[in-house]
Structure formats: C-alpha cells, structure tokens
C-alpha cells in the first residue's frame, strides 16, 4: 500500500483545517474552495443520509450545521492515517446540541484528486450526550 | 507521518481477516488470539457503547454478535489507510438484522503494538435498513 504523497497529505490537512473552522464558526467557503465540483459525500444520518453528490449539495448540508450545533463544534484530531489517495482523521468533537453538552468521536475520510477533496465520508463513533 | 511498516500492515490485515471470519461465522478465537490482554475498544452503540478494556470483555462482546445478526455479516473492504501504529479499514457489510436485510458502512481502526491488536475502534457509517 503506497503511502500518501506529501502533496496529498498537505492538501488533506489544509482542507481539514478549513473544515474544523467551518464546524467552529460556520464559515464554510474556505473548505468549499478546496472541494471538487463533483465531490461525493456520505453521511450516516439526517437529511443527507447515504450517498450524495455535488458541491452545491455539500454546501447546503454544511451551512445547516450551525442550526444543529448552536455555538459550533470544536474538533480535536486523535489519529491520522493515509493511503495514496485517502486521508482519514479520527477526531473527538465537543459542543452543544439542543441546549445540552455534546461530545462525539468520529472518523472523517477525504479522498484527494489533483489536490482537491473529491470525496468526503463521515463515520460516527461514540456519541456522548453528557447532559443525560 | 511515517507509513506503516510491512509487519504492522501484515499483522493488521491478518487480524482483519480473522475479524471478518468471526462476523461471518461466529468463530472469534482466531481473532482473539491476535489481541493483547489489555486491548482497549470503543463501540458506538449497545451494551459496550463507549470505552471498554480487556480481552475478556471484548470476547463477550464479539460472541454476542450472532444474536444480533443471525446468519452472520459479510464484510467487503473498500479502502485501507494506515500510519505507523494504526490501520483503518473502511468497509461495507451486509447481513440480516431482525429478519430484515441489513447493509452498513463502517470504519474499523486497529492499533498495533508488537504485532498484536492493542486497540479496536469502530465507527458507523450509513446504515441502510433495506426492508424499510
């Protein structure tokens, strides 16, 4: 299995930094600027559950995040793994959902083509609803 | 980020092969033989939701799988990524749950130490309940 090239890793990490800014502050344009027009994305739940395609659909999905997590989500990277085309970030995120403290683990995979994100897959880990 | 050594990748892939045999046939001993006594594991839902530790607890957890998925789960690997200590398998699994066809995407991370699995983390992707 070839390791990721430095350019692939750099593209993924720059995109992930902009992704975390989006989650924290709701400003998604820097992340979207790194995404291909035909981006494919998979999400485990909600209105975009399953397979989705296209930057416009991803933009609509991401801009709805602050409605779910008022005050934003803070993401800490726990592990990074990669292949020649894919970089996976295992993360912990904390925030507030429905007025209650929220903490989650997730794995977020970016596929990279020409230093753009051409696929984004999210997998949910342990969801702690700390208020319950 | 250093790539996984061939020995690390080989240990993870051999363990994953035994893991898929366990899911398909309910025989978990070959997988458990590759797991450290102090293994840590995280699962998103059910009685072992969250952080767990120890081979005995993992054995009890895994041997309950056939009760949930009668007939076993078939797993196909879609992507593999790795770092020097961790290998992540993105998979699709198919089977039957509660009498209904079941299909899922998941990300399964193994941490490797001395060619044993010392941590196992599972993240759930898109769960398709095909009967609904």
């Amino acid at each position: 299995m070839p390791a990721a090239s430095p350019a692939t890793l750099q593209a993924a990490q720059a995109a992930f930094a902009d992704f975390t800014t989006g989650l924290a502050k709701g400003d998604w344009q820097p992340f979207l600027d790194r995404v291909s027009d035909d981006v494919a994305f998979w999400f485990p739940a909600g209105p975009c559950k399953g397979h989705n395609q296209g930057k416009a659909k991803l933009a609509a999905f991401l801009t709805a995040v602050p409605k779910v997590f008022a005050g934003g989500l803070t993401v800490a990277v726990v592990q990074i793994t990669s292949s020649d085309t894919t970089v996976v970030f295992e993360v912990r995120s904390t925030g507030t959902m429905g007025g209650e403290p929220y903490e989650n683990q997730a794995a977020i995979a970016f596929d990279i083509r020409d230093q753009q994100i051409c696929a984004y897959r999210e997998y949910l880990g342990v969801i702690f609803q700390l208020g319950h």
Side-chain angles (χ1 to χ4, degrees), chain A residues 50-116:
Chain A
H51 176 260
N52 304 273
Q53 193 134 23
K55 190 189 279 205
K57 192 165 187 185
L58 180 58
F61 173 68
L62 293 175
T63 52
V65 170
K67 295 176 191 162
V68 178
F69 299 102
L73 273 180
T74 300
V75 172
V77 174
V78 180
Q79 308 253 8
I80 299 175
T81 58
S82 64
S83 70
D84 55 338
T85 56
T86 301
V87 181
V88 176
F89 301 83
E90 291 180 70
V91 303
R92 282 183 169 262
S93 54
T94 52
T96 303
M97 184 169 68
E100 299 282 355
Y102 170 93
E103 184 176 345
N104 185 27
Q105 294 178 311
I108 294 168
F110 288 159
D111 288 352
I112 311 293
R113 185 189 65 214
D114 300 334
Q115 298 182 44
Q116 284 189 309

Side-chain angles (χ1 to χ4, degrees), chain A residues 11-76:
Chain A
Q13 288 182 309
F16 195 80
D18 288 338
F19 184 82
T20 59
T21 298
L23 287 173
K25 301 185 177 174
D27 176 12
W28 289 103
Q29 198 55 50
F31 175 68
L32 290 167
D33 287 345
R34 300 183 186 275
V35 164
S36 70
D37 289 340
D38 66 346
V39 62
F41 68 103
W42 288 257
F43 200 79
C48 285
K49 175 175 174 172
H51 176 260
N52 304 273
Q53 193 134 23
K55 190 189 279 205
K57 192 165 187 185
L58 180 58
F61 173 68
L62 293 175
T63 52
V65 170
K67 295 176 191 162
V68 178
F69 299 102
L73 273 180
T74 300
V75 172

